Amino acid sequence: MLSVETSLKEAMTAIEGSVGVALVDYTSGMALGTLGGGKDLDLTVAAAGNTDVVRAKIRTMEMLGIREDIEDVLITLGSQYHLIRLIKGRGGNGLFLYLVLDKGRANLAMARHQLRRIETELEL
């Protein structure tokens, strides 16, 4: 099992093209941990903003009567992928991993696979 800090480091090193990563509580909008980012990517602001995305999708699924779990949400920009992975399992309710990738260097399928692996090994 990986700690939050180790999980974030793993995401930054094991996932090709990683720009920044955060563990976020979408009930409060607070980032519980961040790594990477920079002057053009404030992960604290991104974490708070993406809680609205997650909440809206959960609300929409409830209104539609969809009773499946969200695996991840992908936002594609011109130069970046923003991947939101909801955490399942014990202690993970209300949390998601947020990963920003450089689109030119990242392999999206591998990034999703690695993020899923990191999620399963994360100890909360």
Side-chain angles (χ1 to χ4, degrees):
M1 298 307 265
L2 301 175
S3 69
V4 171
E5 182 180 335
T6 304
S7 295
L8 297 178
K9 286 179 183 175
E10 178 77 9
M12 288 298 291
T13 58
I15 301 174
E16 182 84 22
S18 294
V19 175
V21 64
L23 177 65
V24 184
D25 178 342
Y26 66 79
T27 59
S28 68
M30 298 286 295
L32 304 178
T34 64
L35 191 61
K39 66 179 180 76
D40 294 330
L41 178 61
D42 184 332
L43 288 169
T44 305
V45 172
N50 280 301
T51 60
D52 293 334
V53 172
V54 171
R55 290 177 192 158
K57 188 59 190 171
I58 290 171
R59 214 173 24 255
T60 301
M61 288 177 59
E62 287 171 354
M63 289 188 297
L64 293 171
I66 298 172
R67 305 221 188 285
E68 294 187 49
D69 291 330
I70 298 171
E71 288 183 13
D72 52 38
V73 177
L74 172 64
I75 300 167
T76 305
L77 305 177
S79 64
Q80 295 177 335
Y81 294 122
H82 291 229
L83 190 56
I84 299 167
R85 173 100 189 153
L86 274 71
I87 297 179
K88 299 170 186 61
R90 63 183 202 290
N93 262 359
L95 300 178
F96 66 86
L97 284 165
Y98 171 64
L99 177 66
V100 178
L101 300 163
D102 178 313
K103 197 173 179 181
R105 297 184 303 126
N107 177 322
L108 185 56
M110 285 303 297
R112 290 183 69 220
H113 175 73
Q114 291 285 2
L115 199 58
R116 181 174 33 250
R117 180 187 57 76
I118 291 167
E119 176 223 341
T120 61
E121 295 176 1
L122 178 62
E123 185 170 306
L124 300 168

